[in-house]
Amino acid sequence: APRNTQFFMWYNELAKYMKEHHPGKRLLSFAYFFTEPAPLIPIEDNIDISFCPIFKDSRADVLDERNKTTFDRLSKWLARTPNVTWREYYGLNVPYPRPIDAVAFRDYRYLRSQGVKRTYSEMVCDFNNFHRWPGDDVWDLGAPFLWNLTNAVWNPEQDCHALRREFCDRCFGKAADDMTAFYDLLEEHWYATRKKSVWNDRPNALWIHLRRDRPRFDKMAALLDSAIDKADKPNGKTMLERLRKSWKEHNVTSDVVLHAGKVAEPPPFDATLENGPWATAPVVPPFPNAPKTTVKRLHDGVNPYAAMR
């Protein structure tokens, strides 16, 4: 039998034991990785299945053709048992404002139509070094989308963009128009690409892609500056200043131009990087997560050379 079926053959026996010795108690299993596909056998009715769409494209809802594998697996679980919950990753985010709240609303509407009434959410913690980046940076950049996600859980029939507007009105006051336009431009850019987005996207790649959309990027930067000038609520102004700080940091540290020194022949090995051509070779800007690492570059007109210490 397939591994997922073997697992639930064992889990069914555990569920039967629980029924007999601990009536009223329930078991829960993730439908995750090897158990994401439904087993070939029925499962006991005191087992809840928490379906984990870990490979789902966050740029599209579960009904989209891009998420056919996730949809097919979810459908088979829904056919197997009514005790399915949804364990989502919308809020397990990166330091980039991903506007995936609209997708969440559509997903929740579909799930509700299929009788799924419970969800488990995995979100970023607001402390430093979470997945190698500051968690509070994630919240500063994606605040309206993360706030909207909680509203989607509460009632997915609400209008996603009307709620975003409510967020801007309540937080930013006179700057609400600018920030609504700012997030609208971001969303237009986000959904204009077909590249898959997952919970652990590379934030630098996302920022680079946005900056390459130069007219839109420049409009967004101008709107953010304008919003800070207009903000009339102390908390809203603080939020905007934190947002602009994160925005500037992420748009200064990426797209670095790397210079290399010219040599006539392949440079000799030097573990110290302090002798010969390595002594005057340009130093690559420090890596954010490796401040004690030194990298130098040289070239001979044909071949590049790099040394790391």
Side-chain angles (χ1 to χ4, degrees):
R3 186 66 68 191
N4 59 340
T5 299
Q6 292 177 10
F7 173 80
F8 282 102
M9 289 171 65
W10 167 80
Y11 209 50
N12 275 341
E13 294 303 312
L14 180 58
K16 293 174 185 176
Y17 177 90
M18 293 294 290
K19 279 184 185 179
E20 180 179 353
H21 297 280
H22 303 281
K25 301 296 183 182
R26 302 188 62 78
L27 297 174
L28 182 142
S29 172
F30 282 177
Y32 190 49
F33 285 95
F34 82 93
T35 57
E36 187 178 348
L40 301 177
I41 60 172
I43 63 171
E44 294 294 319
D45 59 7
N46 60 334
I47 295 175
D48 292 320
I49 297 298
S50 189
F51 185 83
C52 306
I54 188 68
F55 301 113
K56 180 178 178 290
D57 184 349
S58 297
R59 277 196 172 91
D61 59 58
V62 73
L63 295 174
D64 192 282
E65 182 65 25
R66 286 171 283 181
N67 288 315
K68 185 177 186 306
T69 297
T70 298
F71 174 79
D72 289 345
R73 291 177 174 178
L74 173 64
S75 298
K76 288 178 181 177
W77 269 116
L78 291 171
R80 182 70 68 206
T81 174
N83 302 318
V84 174
T85 63
W86 178 255
R87 190 180 190 279
E88 49 85 0
Y89 303 93
Y90 306 122
L92 192 57
N93 226 320
V94 297
Y96 181 89
R98 299 193 309 165
I100 60 175
D101 50 346
V103 163
F105 272 91
R106 296 198 296 272
D107 282 341
Y108 280 130
R109 286 173 191 149
Y110 173 72
L111 292 163
R112 188 172 177 177
S113 74
Q114 300 302 303
V116 178
K117 298 178 181 178
R118 296 173 62 193
T119 183
Y120 293 91
S121 301
E122 189 166 338
M123 307 189 86
V124 170
C125 299
D126 57 347
F127 55 75
N128 289 343
N129 299 320
F130 184 82
H131 283 291
R132 303 176 303 282
W133 49 68
D136 55 1
D137 195 16
V138 176
W139 286 84
D140 291 341
L141 289 163
F145 309 129
L146 292 162
W147 183 76
N148 252 11
L149 292 176
T150 64
N151 280 282
V153 174
W154 179 256
N155 179 8
E157 302 303 324
Q158 299 176 90
D159 184 287
C160 173
H161 291 87
L163 285 169
R164 277 196 214 158
R165 178 67 202 207
E166 180 185 345
F167 179 94
C168 290
D169 285 337
R170 291 170 62 180
C171 290
F172 304 130
K174 292 180 180 179
D177 286 346
D178 286 341
M179 291 312 298
T180 299
F182 174 91
Y183 290 118
D184 285 347
L185 287 169
L186 177 69
E187 183 178 43
E188 289 172 8
H189 168 83
W190 178 256
Y191 291 111
T193 178
R194 298 283 292 183
K195 184 177 180 181
K196 184 175 182 178
S197 172
V198 291
W199 65 271
N200 61 346
D201 278 340
R202 293 172 55 205
N204 280 354
L206 296 176
W207 285 112
I208 289 171
H209 191 262
L210 176 61
R211 283 199 305 280
R212 287 174 178 167
D213 188 355
R214 201 72 209 184
R216 198 188 313 267
F217 177 85
D218 289 343
K219 286 180 184 177
M220 292 175 65
L223 286 166
L224 187 53
D225 288 339
S226 174
I228 290 178
D229 291 338
K230 295 177 183 176
D232 58 334
K233 295 187 176 184
N235 286 347
K237 194 172 186 69
T238 298
M239 289 182 66
L240 286 169
E241 288 171 347
R242 289 175 64 94
L243 173 60
R244 184 165 65 174
K245 177 177 180 290
S246 294
W247 171 277
K248 288 188 174 180
E249 286 176 352
H250 288 289
N251 289 299
V252 169
T253 58
S254 301
D255 281 358
V256 174
V257 176
L258 301 180
H259 299 282
K262 182 75 179 288
V263 291
E265 57 186 18
F269 173 78
D270 173 37
T272 68
L273 302 185
E274 295 176 356
N275 300 299
W278 291 114
T280 56
V283 179
V284 174
F287 295 95
N289 299 317
K292 295 182 179 181
T293 299
T294 298
V295 179
K296 294 186 174 185
R297 290 161 51 89
L298 295 167
H299 75 96
D300 60 13
V302 176
N303 304 299
Y305 305 99
M308 178 184 293
R309 185 177 185 216

